Amino acid sequence: MVCQECGKRPATLHFTKIVNGDKNEFHICENCAREKGEMIPGTSNGFSIHNLLSGLLDFEPLSAAKSQAIRCDNCGLTYSQFSKLGRFGCGSCYQSFSVKLDPLFKRVHGNIMHVGKVPKRSGGIIQSKREIDLLKKDMMTCIESEEFEQAAQIRDQIREIEKKIAGM
């Protein structure tokens, strides 16, 4: 395959970029990649996971003033510094940057809360708590639609599950 930029040298770097479901493939040679400032794996300025994260973090561009304004109260790290480093300065950074992190987590993981699999042997309480949360949502729906008898039945189910958890 020939480089898409210069059309002279063989393409040795192959990039796939997916934005809003549109997939674009780029095939370029090392010289054109250097000229464009692309990172080349295996070289001194090679691929960095921090650069990958920076790309994700900068998905929604911030003005310099806005990104400097978001700062961790504990360690003083700014959001723009975090997006360049790809790591937090302290545990308080999660709370300080939560306004920007929640949309990022939702975009990357599909949700802002972990909803993965739970081991059956050790996850009984977790499964029960999830079931209670779902039942509470159902109960609120029943209350809003004034189906009070159904809501009372769901309330009783919640109490039974809570008793089982207390007995574990």
Side-chain angles (χ1 to χ4, degrees):
M1 183 173 286
V2 180
C3 175
Q4 291 177 334
E5 289 293 314
C6 67
K8 299 175 185 174
R9 292 177 288 275
T12 55
L13 298 171
H14 309 280
F15 297 98
T16 302
K17 186 176 183 180
I18 302 172
V19 178
N20 295 330
D22 295 331
K23 181 179 175 183
N24 295 314
E25 293 185 3
F26 303 97
H27 309 282
I28 57 177
C29 66
E30 286 187 29
N31 292 342
C32 291
R34 277 193 194 98
E35 289 171 9
K36 290 182 83 174
E38 299 288 343
M39 295 299 227
I40 302 170
T43 62
S44 60
N45 62 348
F47 175 78
S48 165
I49 192 71
H50 303 302
N51 292 334
L52 175 65
L53 281 176
S54 293
L56 289 172
L57 296 172
D58 290 336
F59 183 77
E60 200 175 288
L62 287 173
S63 68
K66 256 188 176 178
S67 63
Q68 288 296 329
I70 302 174
R71 179 180 295 273
C72 177
D73 296 332
N74 189 40
C75 69
L77 186 74
T78 64
Y79 184 80
S80 63
Q81 290 171 325
F82 160 66
S83 68
K84 288 180 184 136
L85 291 173
R87 59 179 169 239
F88 292 121
C90 69
S92 300
C93 290
Y94 285 99
Q95 187 64 33
S96 300
F97 303 142
S98 65
V99 173
K100 298 299 293 174
L101 294 178
D102 286 348
L104 171 69
F105 292 153
K106 188 164 182 113
R107 188 173 60 251
V108 173
H109 295 290
N111 203 333
I112 58 172
M113 294 180 64
H114 177 71
V115 291
K117 293 182 180 179
V118 177
K120 289 184 180 180
R121 280 186 253 157
S122 63
I125 294 174
I126 296 170
Q127 288 286 76
S128 297
K129 287 183 179 182
R130 284 187 182 174
E131 188 177 351
I132 288 172
D133 289 341
L134 290 173
L135 286 170
K136 284 182 179 180
K137 287 178 185 175
D138 291 345
M139 185 174 69
M140 292 308 294
T141 304
C142 289
I143 290 171
E144 288 171 3
S145 61
E146 297 183 3
E147 297 174 7
F148 299 114
E149 290 178 12
Q150 180 68 26
Q153 290 175 351
I154 294 172
R155 179 203 61 209
D156 295 340
Q157 287 178 335
I158 292 170
R159 287 181 180 166
E160 286 295 319
I161 295 170
E162 287 174 339
K163 284 180 188 177
K164 287 179 186 177
I165 291 174
M168 289 182 160

